[in-house]
Amino acid sequence: MSSATIVSLPDQSTARIPKTNFITKENGLLSWLLTGDHKRIAILYLISITFFFAIGGSLAGLIRLELLTPQSDLMATDTYNKVFTMHGVIMIFLFLVPSVPATLGNFLIPIMIGAKDLALPKVNLLSWYLYIAGGTLVLYTMMTGGVDTGWTFTTPLSTHYVNTNVLSTGLAIFIAGFSSIFTGLNFIVTIHKMRAPGMTWFRLPLFVWSNYAASILMVLGTPVLAIAIVLVALERTVGIGVFDPTKGGDPLLFQHLFWFYSHPAVYIMILPGMGVISEVISTFSRKRVFGYTAVAFSSVAIAVFGFFVWEHHMFIMGVSNYSTLVFSLLTMLVAVPSAIKIFNWSFTLYKGSITFETPMLYAFGFMGLFTIGGLTGVFLAATGTDIHLTETYFIVAHFHFVMVGGMLMAFLSGIHFWWPKMTGRMYPEKISQLAAVVTFIGFNLTFFPQFILGELGMPRRYASYPEEFQILNVFSTAGATVLGVGYLLPILYLTWSLKYGEIAGSNPWQATGLEWQIQSPPLTENFAEIPIVDHDAYDYEWLEKMELAKKQQEVSSVG
Amino acid sequence: MSEHHESHAPEGHDDALEGHIVSPVVYIIIFIALLIGTAATIGASYLDLHEWNPIIAIAIAVTKATLVVLFFMHVKYSPKLTKLTVGAGLFTFLVLIFMTLSDYISRAWGRW
């Protein structure tokens, strides 16, 4: 590991955490539960999603343990169905969708644009309560027998053939969906209306652009999921017949509605992560993001194209051959804006002064793993290969490369990057670098064998498999334990750092964003006075001038 | 807290916040139009027009919804940004309907 570092911390013997900040402003549980402060709500979200991530992760552990041996021996087959369904529901709706927007986005977007809070603070708090209500219902579902339809609720299985808790899970997702709509709405209004003077659209940090694009998807897409779930509920309870062929309905219509949301949903999950990567890559290579405008617009392009590709989830389900052709072509188009981002980040690195702090290690992990995940998506978009690969472990590997290798890496990168800002204290660098490397190794060991398993034809969603697949499954399960350690470490040392971490000061990374120009942790109102922005994002020369001016002022005032 | 910020908004033309006053006459006209629409929907349901029944019912419903959005929800008097937002929702809805129909219409065509 390079010894070069950009970290600049204040003198630890004299440094203190600012006495007045958003954490110390008020005390008591109620001051948190009734808060309108976007930063406190972000912390509430961070605690809640970590809780659900732990549950979803434990379920993943159970899945991998079951698949250690070819026979279904750890649990009964229908229990296995419930376990992978709950893993999917929790990880998608309660972790990945809110992960970056509701925590880092909530905390940072108002600060990054120079505002004192989000436009609708009470709606922001309501969004967290809805999330908790949805999460509680999911827990209730788990405790009362779970659900075994898969997280996709595919009809007619979900409407006609299972007796598990489809209704309560559907209601949970319906409620959690509104939480996501409110967050998206809040971001859109805030970014449009509350930018500081001089903060033009093309001076916004790319993190704001990508969260804006994701917010559009949340607001426009999530209602369709809500409708699809209500229709499933009505089909189960009163048999309205929309998805029932004997009454003139069509089960595939459900999949059209479901994937119309759930494909854009993967962009809701990944876009904010891409925003994190833009910030981190720029900071740790000390360069403006190459092709800023292209990266900004590629976020919007992903959001728009994302609505035109959903049928690629249904290629083998009996949809028309002609529409398959159209959706296959459209799907391949989405690869273009994603590739624009990867290329631009790579060019940002070119001739940059690169340092290898933990956020950057995670960002490198993201770039590599997301590229593999994205390119294998093109295999699946091609109708010929899709027939062979779909519904196999290839799909599982592809999805986890994008969502875990991509999004979770980006989330961890962002959490480490902004941890000093959120808490005022540094995380321990060496052990966190180790955690990043452990995560990367564990991840590849877990999911790379699954590409091969899928290519060999092992179907997903079965508790047992032919013996010839065991070796690769053992690799995968071994990798999952390494990955588990990789995720446990940050939870432990980040908690430790809350009390024992070094004092970070306002700008430990020497980064340019507005959030780094204020104290850590920030004041409740973020800025003592609203800043006037006169420079572009990632302008390191501006930062240098500012630092110089500050030093001269100190010298003259002491003198 | 948010009110504190409005003065700093760079786009400063908050027509929607100032509010447009619509005369009660307009509301009454729209209300009567909606009642006529409802009556027309009920009336049309008694006629046997085969495949035209749902088409007519949906056409009347869309017209009524448009009136509600434009007048009761004040979109007609709102700034361009609000109109664009409503347009984005409508566009997404049309994508959902027409791209889904692309499957249903061409299923009987067989293989390409």
Side-chain angles (χ1 to χ4, degrees), chain A residues 16-66:
Chain A
R16 293 279 175 275
I17 300 257
K19 243 184 189 161
T20 322
N21 60 50
F22 78 96
I23 302 171
T24 56
K25 176 93 186 269
E26 287 174 278
N27 289 318
L29 190 61
L30 272 187
S31 77
W32 283 85
L33 294 180
L34 299 175
T35 183
D37 181 1
H38 65 105
K39 299 177 289 298
R40 284 185 164 216
I41 296 170
I43 302 287
L44 291 175
Y45 257 119
L46 182 61
I47 296 166
S48 341
I49 70 164
T50 308
F51 171 73
F52 283 108
F53 176 76
I55 296 177
S58 316
L59 293 168
L62 285 177
I63 294 172
R64 282 316 321 165
L65 266 183
E66 168 61 63

Side-chain angles (χ1 to χ4, degrees), chain A residues 399-472:
Chain A
F399 188 65
H400 284 80
F401 261 74
V402 180
M403 286 298 131
V404 184
M407 186 54 208
L408 202 51
M409 286 274 177
F411 176 70
L412 286 170
S413 175
I415 288 292
H416 284 86
F417 185 57
W418 282 293
W419 190 255
K421 182 52 63 185
M422 293 164 88
T423 64
R425 287 183 185 273
M426 296 299 288
Y427 58 83
E429 187 66 46
K430 284 283 170 240
I431 188 170
S432 63
Q433 284 175 325
L434 178 74
V437 174
V438 167
T439 309
F440 185 79
I441 293 170
F443 175 83
N444 279 298
L445 193 56
T446 311
F447 291 105
F448 201 84
Q450 297 185 3
F451 276 129
I452 306 168
L453 282 169
E455 201 275 326
L456 292 173
M458 179 176 162
R460 64 172 175 171
R461 296 183 169 175
Y462 285 93
S464 55
Y465 54 84
E467 282 190 11
E468 72 241 41
F469 294 139
Q470 190 175 11
I471 294 178
L472 288 166

Side-chain angles (χ1 to χ4, degrees), chain A residues 291-499:
Chain A
Y292 170 96
T293 324
V295 178
F297 278 126
S298 66
S299 293
V300 181
I302 289 175
V304 175
F305 287 177
F307 275 120
F308 291 86
V309 301
W310 77 86
E311 203 188 83
H312 63 219
H313 295 269
M314 306 158 65
F315 281 165
I316 60 151
M317 308 286 177
V319 291
S320 97
N321 260 282
Y322 288 87
S323 64
T324 300
L325 185 69
V326 174
F327 276 98
S328 171
L329 281 170
L330 289 169
T331 302
M332 292 189 190
L333 280 181
V334 186
V336 176
S338 310
I340 287 175
K341 285 184 187 287
I342 291 284
F343 285 130
N344 280 293
W345 291 326
S346 308
F347 280 123
T348 308
L349 295 172
Y350 179 64
K351 288 195 172 172
S353 310
I354 300 171
T355 53
F356 296 91
E357 282 81 6
T358 309
M360 190 64 157
L361 293 184
Y362 279 116
F364 281 139
F366 172 97
M367 283 173 70
L369 301 175
F370 175 76
T371 305
I372 296 175
L375 286 176
T376 49
V378 181
F379 296 11
L380 294 163
T383 50
T385 44
D386 183 70
I387 291 170
H388 176 63
L389 295 173
T390 195
E391 300 293 341
T392 70
Y393 261 84
F394 194 91
I395 291 275
V396 179
H398 155 72
F399 188 65
H400 284 80
F401 261 74
V402 180
M403 286 298 131
V404 184
M407 186 54 208
L408 202 51
M409 286 274 177
F411 176 70
L412 286 170
S413 175
I415 288 292
H416 284 86
F417 185 57
W418 282 293
W419 190 255
K421 182 52 63 185
M422 293 164 88
T423 64
R425 287 183 185 273
M426 296 299 288
Y427 58 83
E429 187 66 46
K430 284 283 170 240
I431 188 170
S432 63
Q433 284 175 325
L434 178 74
V437 174
V438 167
T439 309
F440 185 79
I441 293 170
F443 175 83
N444 279 298
L445 193 56
T446 311
F447 291 105
F448 201 84
Q450 297 185 3
F451 276 129
I452 306 168
L453 282 169
E455 201 275 326
L456 292 173
M458 179 176 162
R460 64 172 175 171
R461 296 183 169 175
Y462 285 93
S464 55
Y465 54 84
E467 282 190 11
E468 72 241 41
F469 294 139
Q470 190 175 11
I471 294 178
L472 288 166
N473 273 298
V474 170
F475 272 127
S476 188
T477 301
T481 51
V482 179
L483 194 56
V485 173
Y487 293 144
L488 201 59
L489 279 174
I491 295 178
L492 296 177
Y493 64 71
L494 287 178
T495 313
W496 173 89
S497 78
L498 286 175
K499 187 149 191 217

Side-chain angles (χ1 to χ4, degrees), chain B residues 21-103:
Chain B
I21 296 169
V22 185
S23 78
V25 181
V26 175
Y27 282 141
I28 290 166
I29 292 172
I30 300 299
F31 179 60
I32 293 169
L34 291 175
L35 286 181
I36 293 171
T38 309
T41 311
I42 296 167
S45 72
Y46 286 103
L47 304 173
D48 190 6
L49 301 166
H50 307 288
E51 66 267 33
W52 286 96
N53 274 96
I55 294 173
I56 289 172
I58 289 173
I60 297 171
V62 168
T63 314
K64 285 166 68 186
T66 310
L67 288 176
V68 171
V69 170
L70 284 180
F71 294 95
F72 285 177
M73 294 170 79
H74 289 201
V75 170
K76 188 173 189 295
Y77 317 105
S78 298
K80 285 200 182 90
L81 186 58
T82 310
K83 286 183 177 141
L84 183 73
T85 310
V86 175
L90 193 65
F91 174 73
T92 318
F93 178 67
L94 292 178
V95 170
L96 169 65
I97 299 295
F98 283 102
M99 299 277 294
T100 304
L101 280 178
S102 78
D103 167 29

Side-chain angles (χ1 to χ4, degrees), chain A residues 490-559:
Chain A
I491 295 178
L492 296 177
Y493 64 71
L494 287 178
T495 313
W496 173 89
S497 78
L498 286 175
K499 187 149 191 217
Y500 304 103
E502 289 179 294
I503 308 275
S506 60
N507 195 357
W509 310 125
Q510 301 300 302
T512 58
L514 284 181
E515 78 272 26
W516 298 108
Q517 315 312 322
I518 57 174
Q519 68 172 46
S520 321
L523 293 167
T524 300
E525 57 272 23
N526 299 338
F527 301 97
E529 54 183 306
I530 294 290
I532 294 170
V533 182
D534 56 0
H535 59 280
D536 288 343
Y538 317 114
D539 187 344
Y540 291 93
E541 284 174 17
W542 167 84
L543 184 75
E544 214 171 311
K545 272 185 225 155
M546 283 282 290
E547 297 283 321
L548 205 67
K550 216 185 274 175
K551 264 183 204 151
Q552 277 169 349
Q553 205 178 4
E554 274 168 27
V555 170
S556 60
S557 62
V558 169

Side-chain angles (χ1 to χ4, degrees), chain A residues 59-125:
Chain A
L59 293 168
L62 285 177
I63 294 172
R64 282 316 321 165
L65 266 183
E66 168 61 63
L67 293 175
L68 192 59
T69 54
Q71 310 79 25
S72 151
D73 37 20
L74 179 66
M75 52 188 117
T77 47
D78 57 339
T79 313
Y80 179 81
N81 291 349
K82 289 176 182 173
V83 169
F84 76 69
T85 300
M86 296 317 294
H87 166 71
V89 167
I90 290 174
M91 285 304 204
I92 301 246
F93 297 109
L94 300 177
F95 177 72
L96 284 167
V97 168
S99 61
V100 168
T103 57
L104 295 172
N106 235 336
F107 196 98
L108 294 161
I109 284 176
I111 311 182
M112 282 181 165
I113 66 171
K116 294 193 175 185
D117 204 324
L118 284 169
L120 314 161
K122 286 189 179 125
V123 172
N124 196 16
L125 184 64

